[in-house]
Amino acid sequence: MSLLTSTEADLALWPDSARLTADGDVRVGGVPLTSAAERYGTPLYVLDEDQVRARARAYRAAFPDAGVHYAAKAFLCRALVRWLDEEGIGLDVCSAGELELAVAAGFPADRVLLHGNAKSPRDLASALRLGVGRVVLDSVGEITRLAALVPPGERRRVLVRVVPGISAGHHDKVRTGDEDQKFGLSLTDGSAQHAVARVLATPCLELTGLHCHIGSQIAEVKPYLAAQRRLLGLRARIAETYGVVLPEIDLGGGHAVAQRPGERGIDLTDLARRLRAELAESCRAAGLPEPRLLLEPGRALVARAGVAVYRVLAVKRTAHRVFVAVDGGMGDNPRPALYGAPCVPRLVGRVSTAAPHPVDLVGRHCEAGDVLAPAVPLPADIRPGDLVATPVAGAYQLSMASAYNLHGRPPLIATREGTPRLLIRREEPDDLWLRDLGG
């Protein structure tokens, strides 16, 4: 293992605004993490508003003619909804809860896609009541359920989620484009083709396109090209069989971001260039007009904008290992325990001259698996009271957080031009106890 020292180069994973100060602190959006930790307590999530906006603009620049819909499951709050609306980004939601929060924050429902492999009656009813732009159908049974809810005389736009038979992603648990998993309808066994026929035969549903999502943390362009070819092939067969030319295809998201030093995320410019070229060539060969492309990035918009800040509670040295325990863990970031997501901590708030030493950064929850980062380098003199921060924390951490052991979920602040703003307050004991009726 290479033990990295804490230099300015280590901030490559951090928001672009991150600056290392002479006293060992780090400023994010102009706000010192030490002062934020003192004011709001720890664990604490910090989100750089300008970084989110910059990523949204990068997608709009790379895909000016496409529909870019942020995957809300990565993280959602009312302020983020407003930022994305202002930047011209749509939303991809997978529950009535996400949809209703977005609409309550003023987001236009017609720029929302509703996903989900098992949509509840409330999900479908909310989608129809609020007027979402598209419902992505994930099963044949869902076609019947949705159609039964459409008011007489109305039509609702839908996409059919196709399983293209392409496996991509950094872990088995996030690969969703291959056969024998819970999402979508297979091309191989004819389920997708059957669903298309059912939708086209249902007068109250308007099939506008085909959808797929092949996985997460995908850094290569080739899997997307392969998925696009398969969707376009099905689109051509639909045009030949039914005389219907679908105006949209949706390639989902899963675009990788760097999570460790030296890693790379997906190259947006290259992705856009090669997808457009493939789209034009395939449609020319089929003699069909090009469809509008839809994309659903989530992590790629918000992950690098976020930083998690913890305080060290204990340092335990055994015969072979050093455990550094912090006041958070799997309750606020379950991803390392779920599928080995990496975590790259650094000491903030003081300068240490001690050599880096491998430690296991662990949480306070009563689980042996509550390990945020095994065998990571931190200064050998790390001690209780120190602050440790981890970058790339804006996606799938606070959104997946729980109150395990009745530790409340952390607060979230936004930073911009040196000003912190509390977006989500800390979950207090009273919040947890209110749900317990004691009967």
Side-chain angles (χ1 to χ4, degrees), residues 39-50:
R39 180 174 176 180
Y40 300 102
T42 55
L44 173 67
Y45 279 98
V46 179
L47 192 67
D48 185 327
E49 178 181 344
D50 285 335

Side-chain angles (χ1 to χ4, degrees), residues 168-177 213-217 299 339:
H170 76 292
H171 194 283
D172 287 345
K173 291 184 180 179
V174 297
R175 293 174 185 155
T176 56
H213 179 78
I214 58 176
S216 295
Q217 274 297 90
R299 181 197 323 265
Y339 41 74

Side-chain angles (χ1 to χ4, degrees), residues 170-192:
H170 76 292
H171 194 283
D172 287 345
K173 291 184 180 179
V174 297
R175 293 174 185 155
T176 56
D178 50 4
E179 304 290 338
D180 296 323
Q181 43 78 38
K182 72 176 187 175
F183 294 103
L185 293 144
S186 173
L187 280 173
T188 303
D189 67 9
S191 298

